[in-house]
């Protein structure tokens, strides 16, 4: 317990706990400057802390859709309806990562907004009945350099980045031109491919957090996508055959009829863009048409390799994992899809 200790003492005690292996200091500058020595180890401490601020972090990330536009304060304001929609989307996206209160979205959101207003972080505009209509950063928070707001954003951004990467990797699971869409690829290989995609995008400047490339984080995203019926996973009765994965037909992006290239449009692309709207932007990264084309080309290239390995390996006898389902597996899969969709529809009406 820090009691009434000054901020400087709290920081020094925190640095002592973390140690020099996690946080380093650069001397010889105008003032001592600290840096992360081991980002992965430090992320453990962040992940242990974020649950204390998860509501504030989600609201801040949702507001970021407009904040990152720049311009005057009015341009960065967001309507209550749009904020609520994005907060609901993000909370649903991370339902497996965090535990949310049982009071419901609206109550939790309204309580969070009132708390942020009381802390002079956001400004709430209300109509004559007292209902919140518009949310924006407060004058006090802007004068403070957005330090509180940015803190909340930085807590959640790595998770948003990981979900975006996983969603982008699914674009590569769209069947290559000329295939009939019946091919299944090994789940583990698909996740390894997603990890390779992430490493490439990170080093090319399209991914801000290397933590997003973490295999377990990607697995968690794939599990959520399976629950939402974006992808399907089939597990064979034969223990020697690993789980196989396929992108749901309704979520498969279309291709350019002339070039065969993936088109940045459709249900999966819109889903990916909704995640991207709350992603961090900085001096080294901007969302745009060039990024879209390059990222899609890369994920499609990696996906084509997955499909080729699945088919060629089976033909040449190198791969004992069948790329197509047996009649029995097809029937079991259809039943599983119906069951999961029924469960999904029930959840949607809660």
């Amino acid at each position: 317990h820090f009691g009434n200790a000054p901020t400087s003492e709290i920081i020094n005690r925190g640095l002592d706990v973390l140690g020099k292996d996690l946080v380093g200091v650069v001397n010889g500058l105008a003032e001592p400057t600290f840096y992360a020595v081991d980002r992965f180890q430090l992320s453990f401490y962040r992940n242990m802390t974020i649950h204390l601020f998860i509501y504030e972090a989600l609201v801040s990330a949702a507001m970021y859709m407009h904040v990152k536009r720049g311009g005057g304060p009015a341009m960065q304001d967001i309507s209550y309806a749009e904020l609520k929609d994005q907060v609901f989307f993000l909370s649903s996206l991370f339902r497996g990562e965090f535990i949310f209160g049982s009071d419901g979205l609206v109550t939790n959101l309204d309580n969070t907004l009132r708390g942020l207003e009381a802390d002079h972080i956001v400004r709430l505009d209300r109509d004559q009945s007292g209902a919140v209509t518009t949310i924006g950063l407060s004058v006090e928070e802007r004068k403070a350099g957005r330090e509180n707001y940015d803190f909340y954003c930085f807590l959640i951004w790595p998770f948003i980045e990981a979900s975006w990467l996983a969603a982008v990797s699914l674009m590569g699971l769209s069947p290559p031109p000329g295939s009939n869409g019946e091919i299944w690829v090994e789940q583990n290989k698909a996740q390894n491919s997603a990890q390779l995609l992430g490493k490439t995008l990170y080093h090319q400047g399209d991914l801000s957090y290397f933590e997003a490339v973490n295999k377990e984080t990607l697995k968690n995203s794939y599990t959520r996508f399976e629950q939402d019926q974006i992808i399907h996973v089939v597990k064979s009765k034969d223990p020697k055959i690993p789980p196989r994965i396929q992108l749901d037909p309704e979520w498969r992006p279309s291709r350019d009829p002339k070039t065969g290239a993936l088109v940045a449009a459709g249900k999966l692309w819109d889903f990916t863009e909704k995640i991207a709207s709350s992603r961090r932007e900085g001096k080294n990264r901007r969302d745009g048409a060039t990024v879209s084309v390059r990222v899609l080309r890369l994920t499609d290239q990696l996906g084509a390799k997955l499909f080729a390995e699945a088919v060629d390996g089976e033909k040449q006898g190198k791969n004992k994992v069948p790329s197509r389902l047996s009649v029995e597996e097809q029937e079991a899969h259809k039943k599983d899809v119906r069951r999961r969709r029924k469960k999904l529809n029930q959840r949607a009406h809660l």
Side-chain angles (χ1 to χ4, degrees), residues 23 41-42 61-62 67 74 76 83 89 102 123 128 142-143 168 193 210 250 253 272-273 279 283 342 349:
V23 180
Q41 289 292 329
L42 280 173
V67 170
Q76 298 178 26
L83 178 76
F89 173 75
S102 58
R123 183 201 79 252
Q128 293 181 345
R142 291 184 183 279
K143 287 182 178 179
V168 167
S193 180
F210 197 67
E250 293 183 6
T272 305
E273 285 289 272
R279 283 180 75 206
K283 62 181 180 180
K342 183 178 179 181
H349 289 91

Side-chain angles (χ1 to χ4, degrees), residues 7 16 51 73 86 99 105 111 117 121 129 133 159 168 175 197 199-200 213 216 223 240-241 260 283 303 313 324 338:
T7 304
D16 288 339
H51 71 279
Q86 186 69 0
I99 298 174
L105 170 68
N111 290 339
E117 181 185 37
I121 297 173
S129 66
T133 57
F159 294 92
V168 167
L197 172 67
K199 289 178 180 178
T200 306
V213 185
E216 289 304 314
T223 298
K240 294 181 181 179
I241 298 178
K283 62 181 180 180
R324 289 174 173 77
R338 285 195 295 268

Side-chain angles (χ1 to χ4, degrees), residues 185-195 215 243 306 309-310 319 321:
V185 299
E186 290 183 45
Q187 184 181 42
N188 190 53
K189 287 186 177 181
Q191 291 171 353
N192 287 340
S193 180
Q195 196 171 28
K215 188 72 176 289
L306 282 174
E309 287 179 353
N319 186 4
V321 181

Side-chain angles (χ1 to χ4, degrees), residues 4-259:
N4 296 319
T7 304
S8 58
E9 183 181 336
I10 295 173
I11 292 174
N12 288 331
R13 287 170 64 181
L15 290 172
D16 288 339
V17 171
L18 294 173
K20 295 180 180 179
D21 291 336
L22 295 183
V23 180
V25 60
V26 181
N27 294 307
L29 303 178
E31 61 181 2
T33 302
F34 299 90
Y35 66 95
V37 176
D38 190 330
R39 292 181 180 274
F40 277 105
Q41 289 292 329
L42 280 173
S43 67
F44 168 77
Y45 289 93
R46 181 203 61 221
N47 295 347
M48 293 289 286
T49 307
I50 188 174
H51 71 279
L52 299 172
F53 309 103
I54 185 58
Y55 297 117
E56 292 85 352
L58 290 176
V59 168
S60 298
M63 289 177 63
Y64 189 67
M65 294 191 299
H66 286 212
V67 170
K68 68 179 176 182
R69 292 177 178 176
M75 290 183 63
Q76 298 178 26
D77 288 352
I78 185 172
S79 70
Y80 178 82
E82 189 176 2
L83 178 76
K84 177 184 172 184
D85 176 69
Q86 186 69 0
V87 169
F88 177 77
F89 173 75
L90 293 174
S91 60
S92 177
L93 194 65
F94 300 129
R95 64 182 180 274
E97 300 280 359
F98 309 110
I99 298 174
F100 299 102
S102 58
D103 294 331
L105 170 68
V106 175
T107 301
N108 289 330
L109 175 58
D110 291 347
N111 290 339
T112 302
L113 288 175
R114 283 198 296 270
L116 290 171
E117 181 185 37
D119 291 337
H120 304 289
I121 297 173
V122 303
R123 183 201 79 252
L124 303 180
D125 296 337
R126 296 177 171 85
D127 60 19
Q128 293 181 345
S129 66
V132 177
T133 57
T134 309
I135 300 94
L137 288 174
S138 68
V139 174
E140 295 91 335
E141 182 64 12
R142 291 184 183 279
K143 287 182 178 179
R146 284 183 8 191
E147 59 180 9
N148 296 293
Y149 172 78
D150 284 352
F151 166 73
Y152 292 136
C153 285
F154 276 108
L155 284 175
I156 196 70
W157 270 335
F159 294 92
I160 293 175
E161 194 88 320
S163 293
W164 176 83
L165 170 61
V168 167
S169 72
L170 295 188
M171 300 287 288
L173 294 181
S174 182
S179 63
N180 57 13
E182 295 180 359
I183 301 171
W184 293 71
V185 299
E186 290 183 45
Q187 184 181 42
N188 190 53
K189 287 186 177 181
Q191 291 171 353
N192 287 340
S193 180
Q195 196 171 28
L196 178 59
L197 172 67
K199 289 178 180 178
T200 306
L201 293 178
Y202 175 78
H203 288 291
Q204 290 182 354
D206 293 317
L207 205 63
S208 300
Y209 297 94
F210 197 67
E211 303 150 58
V213 185
N214 182 277
K215 188 72 176 289
E216 289 304 314
T217 306
L218 285 170
K219 282 183 178 179
N220 290 340
S221 294
Y222 269 63
T223 298
R224 287 196 301 274
F225 296 156
E226 182 187 1
Q227 292 170 349
D228 292 340
Q229 292 291 279
I230 300 175
I231 58 175
H232 301 296
V233 178
V234 168
K235 296 178 181 178
S236 175
K237 292 181 179 180
D238 186 346
K240 294 181 181 179
I241 298 178
R244 287 160 290 170
I245 191 173
Q246 188 182 76
L247 185 62
D248 185 88
E250 293 183 6
W251 288 82
R252 291 173 189 170
S254 58
R255 292 183 178 275
D256 187 296
K258 294 182 180 179
T259 64

Side-chain angles (χ1 to χ4, degrees), residues 303-320:
K305 187 177 179 182
L306 282 174
F307 281 100
E309 287 179 353
V311 175
D312 293 344
E314 188 178 21
K315 285 181 179 178
Q316 297 173 13
K318 297 178 182 178
N319 186 4
K320 294 184 179 180

